[in-house]
Amino acid sequence: MEKVLIAPSILSADFGAMRETVLALQEGGADWIHFDVMDGHFVPNLTFGAPMVAALRPHCTLPFDVHLMVEHPERLIPDFVQAGANSITVHAEACVHLHRVVEQIHELGCGAGVALNPHTPLETVRHILPAIDLLLVMTVNPGFGGQAFIELTKPKMVEARRMIEQTAPHVLLQVDGGVSPDNARALVELGAQVLVAGSSVFTAPTPQEGVRALRWALSSQKA
Ligand code: DX5
Ligand code: ZN
């Protein structure tokens, strides 16, 4: 099995100790840091903006994976690139001109991802898939950490893996929401290559242990 990437979401971390958090995640073996940006319009919650990315950039060498759960993401993309994002994922549901937004991200030198809410058909991304770097299949309804995994999304993951293999094999398949050591291995077997996990990492005794628990669940030693 090729290496599965673990991208802890800092949404569930202690906002009063975020620098220490990303250092702990890096020490624990995380591959990326996942930033859940919410505007209170596209999703009910409001979290943080580009200043959070900029504040953490000097303290962490891991790729910063920014998930924009916002309306009009094209207005914010330059700020997040400037702040140090390595990859920016926008929601197909928030972009009337999705191809133009993906081009904007690439022109600014960043990786481009597209996210789909649980109800959004995979067909939505068929014609843009070859132009992106990452496909994010949401496995909860966006807006909050700590939600239950939506089992209905599993067939969509399998379909996404097949579409990627047939039309855009370079695209990474990321899943986000309700991921834990209990389901991580099954999700990878369904085709996930990047796992976003928030509450399962930050309810562990330490963030390092949270990341290691996911890695152990994925290891071949596990029965
Ligand atoms: C939800 C976010 C997810 C969430 C994951 O809108 O996109 O990244 O923070 O958190 P858990 O792992 O707690 O479901
Ligand atoms: Zn996310």
Side-chain angles (χ1 to χ4, degrees):
M1 182 190 300
E2 64 188 47
K3 182 180 185 209
V4 176
L5 301 178
I6 295 175
S9 160
I10 61 168
L11 180 66
S12 302
D14 173 359
F15 276 38
M18 205 56 99
R19 175 182 171 279
E20 294 76 11
T21 294
V22 294
L23 289 172
L25 292 172
Q26 188 160 300
E27 188 199 324
D31 295 292
W32 297 355
I33 305 291
H34 185 81
F35 290 77
D36 282 313
V37 179
M38 302 179 190
D39 66 358
H41 295 280
F42 181 70
V43 291
N45 206 353
L46 181 64
T47 56
F48 45 73
M52 176 69 84
V53 173
L56 296 173
R57 185 70 282 175
H59 305 295
C60 180
T61 55
L62 296 177
F64 282 2
D65 165 36
V66 174
H67 178 192
L68 293 181
M69 289 162 275
V70 303
E71 292 178 352
H72 303 293
E74 67 281 359
R75 296 175 182 168
L76 294 174
I77 286 163
D79 291 347
F80 279 94
V81 173
Q82 180 67 31
N86 298 91
S87 178
I88 296 176
T89 296
V90 297
H91 271 259
E93 303 90 349
C95 300
V96 174
H97 301 291
L98 179 58
H99 183 273
R100 180 177 291 143
V101 174
V102 167
E103 279 191 323
Q104 177 193 17
I105 296 170
H106 278 149
E107 281 162 9
L108 291 169
C110 232
V114 173
L116 297 176
N117 286 336
H119 76 287
T120 305
L122 191 66
E123 197 56 33
T124 308
V125 294
R126 174 176 297 281
H127 303 294
I128 191 92
L129 202 60
I132 66 176
D133 307 292
L134 177 136
L135 174 63
L136 169 47
V137 172
M138 289 300 296
T139 45
V140 294
N141 291 298
F144 302 92
Q147 300 179 84
F149 182 92
I150 299 176
E151 290 295 324
L152 276 176
T153 60
K154 285 184 174 175
K156 184 171 170 184
M157 288 173 56
V158 174
E159 201 187 329
R161 163 62 38 220
R162 192 175 310 123
M163 187 185 284
I164 287 169
E165 281 168 2
Q166 288 168 356
T167 65
H170 66 283
V171 171
L172 286 174
L173 180 57
Q174 182 180 52
V175 294
D176 182 3
V179 176
S180 75
D182 296 336
N183 64 10
R185 189 173 181 82
L187 297 178
V188 169
E189 285 166 1
L190 291 173
Q193 296 164 289
V194 187
L195 302 180
V196 176
S199 47
S200 76
V201 168
F202 293 104
T203 51
T206 67
Q208 292 94 327
E209 287 173 75
V211 174
R212 290 182 187 129
L214 282 167
R215 194 72 74 192
W216 169 251
L218 296 172
S219 70
S220 53
Q221 292 94 323
K222 191 94 175 140

